[in-house]
Amino acid sequence: IIAARELTRQYGQGESTVHALAGVSLDVEPGEMVALMGPSGSGKSTLMQILGLLDRPTSGTYELRGRSVAQIGSGEAARLRGRRIGFVFQSINLLPRLTARSNVELPMVYARMKPPERRVRVSESLERLGVGHLAHRRPSQMSGGQAQRVAIARAIAPGPDLLLADEPTGALDRASGQAVLAAFQELNRDLGLTIIVVTHDPLVARHAGRIVELEDGRVVADRQVEDR
Amino acid sequence: IIAARELTRQYGQGESTVHALAGVSLDVEPGEMVALMGPSGSGKSTLMQILGLLDRPTSGTYELRGRSVAQIGSGEAARLRGRRIGFVFQSINLLPRLTARSNVELPMVYARMKPPERRVRVSESLERLGVGHLAHRRPSQMSGGQAQRVAIARAIAPGPDLLLADEPTGALDRASGQAVLAAFQELNRDLGLTIIVVTHDPLVARHAGRIVELEDGRVVADRQVEDR
Ligand SMILES: Nc1ncnc2c1ncn2[C@@H]1O[C@H](COP(=O)(O)OP(=O)(O)OP(=O)(O)O)[C@@H](O)[C@H]1O
Ligand SMILES: Nc1ncnc2c1ncn2[C@@H]1O[C@H](COP(=O)(O)OP(=O)(O)OP(=O)(O)O)[C@@H](O)[C@H]1O
Ligand SMILES: [Mg+2]
Ligand SMILES: [Mg+2]
């Protein structure tokens, strides 16, 4: 589903150039669950943004479902992001003036899904993440972990086939984090959802089928794990 | 340094009242390091905001250094927050248009600290958190963990005697998290800095002298720990 070769991403120019990615290659098969790990600043969020069509690489190639993203225009990228790619941001990124349910609904509105189907998906995903009772709250009226779970609901509600989750359990206690992980595993096993999750949490990593480690913008390890 | 009795905090009214805190009492001696733990939504951030003079309780009393906060006006509260209380927010909360160094400097500007002293403290605190090389970057030009460390630098730079850190290692890998913890312990032991840290990380909790657990807005456990 993902075939990336020699991705680089630079910020700035000349002496102050930051090489956030310095040649990352990665293949992900449909139905895999991959944990992406590495030190702070190693390029994980940068890689996730490129994979999720939120950013373009400076050089290198990326094929999503066999199609080179260089040929995907911004309109089509937006539709893909709304319907087929779920993205959980490291900084949560809920719209502060919208309720939880409106925040979850928004990508499906952009994807032109019909209102009855949207409504069902909003309730189901909020319930699944244990925050159904917060549907009418705004982000400022929720705890950090509650907001994070609303952001996860937003990513899975449209029924994507690729979920990119950047530190989805960072603000969660053990129990809530395990519940999120259980939801991910359920979607992975029952619906074949391909998942790439950035995490510092060894518990999350243990449940993935494979661990990819970044350091200084490069892949330094890529191994299968059997502890499931 | 902290003497809180029967703190309550309600949001909303009537049927939809949320009891974020339902009677929390807590004493903290100078020089203690306390880990505050509990499930998502249990009231940790709400309690931290009241202790840090960012919010007032609905009822109950809070004495900070022997003085009832009911008698502290907003001007004085602002000065205390700028100089004597360091606060690390769960959502980081850096000002997006300012550089890292300006973000760190701001509370000291409000506290009317002189420029030469401010500048030294800015550099030292950024260096201590391993992000000195990012002084001129804006928050959007940093990784999540780098931004979190800048927020921690901002909290410790003025040399407060009380540090309130709400999930300061949530976005950090193991190594960076341990470095932050080491910095906290150093300040606690060498300077007697009183620290209350909200955490889900058992590693952080093990290094505190005491663990306080919240559930549904109440203290359900308060115990000393010896594993240091
Ligand atoms: N403005 C508000 N209006 C209504 N309810 C609120 C508001 N702010 C917070 N709450 C509720 O108060 C409760 C306590 O929130 P708080 O942020 O203190 O939890 P927390 O323990 O910090 O959780 P987390 O670990 O997820 O950060 C939660 O149930 C939250 O939904
Ligand atoms: N706009 C920018 N300008 C300059 N440098 C940038 C910019 N955005 C990111 N960086 C740098 O790129 C590098 C990789 O950042 P990235 O956010 O991908 O790291 P990360 O692995 O997600 O880190 P963390 O675990 O802390 O979230 C970092 O060194 C960061 O400072
Ligand atoms: Mg990141
Ligand atoms: Mg909180």
Side-chain angles (χ1 to χ4, degrees), chain A residues 7 24 48 76 96 108 115 134 143 150 159 188-189 204 209 220 223:
Chain A
L7 296 177
V24 167
M48 294 285 273
E76 183 180 1
M108 293 186 278
L134 305 179
S143 78
V150 171
N188 178 245
R189 285 173 197 159
V204 176
V220 298
R223 55 183 200 274

Side-chain angles (χ1 to χ4, degrees), chain A residues 18 40 149 171-173 200, chain B residues 18 40 137 149 171-173 200:
Chain A
V18 174
S40 177
R149 282 179 282 163
L172 298 178
D173 58 292
H200 295 308
Chain B
V18 176
S40 178
R137 298 251 192 108
R149 281 179 282 163
L172 298 178
D173 58 291
H200 296 308

Side-chain angles (χ1 to χ4, degrees), chain B residues 100-119:
Chain B
R101 65 183 335 280
S102 296
N103 263 288
V104 173
E105 198 178 12
L106 203 56
M108 293 186 279
V109 173
Y110 286 140
R112 309 253 172 100
M113 200 179 285
K114 294 197 168 19
E117 184 182 4
R118 293 196 313 243
R119 265 195 289 276

Side-chain angles (χ1 to χ4, degrees), chain B residues 45-66:
Chain B
S45 294
T46 302
L47 175 59
M48 294 286 273
Q49 283 156 22
I50 289 169
L51 296 179
L53 307 184
L54 292 161
D55 188 23
R56 291 191 183 267
T58 305
S59 69
T61 59
Y62 170 30
E63 289 188 0
L64 175 62
R65 296 182 198 100

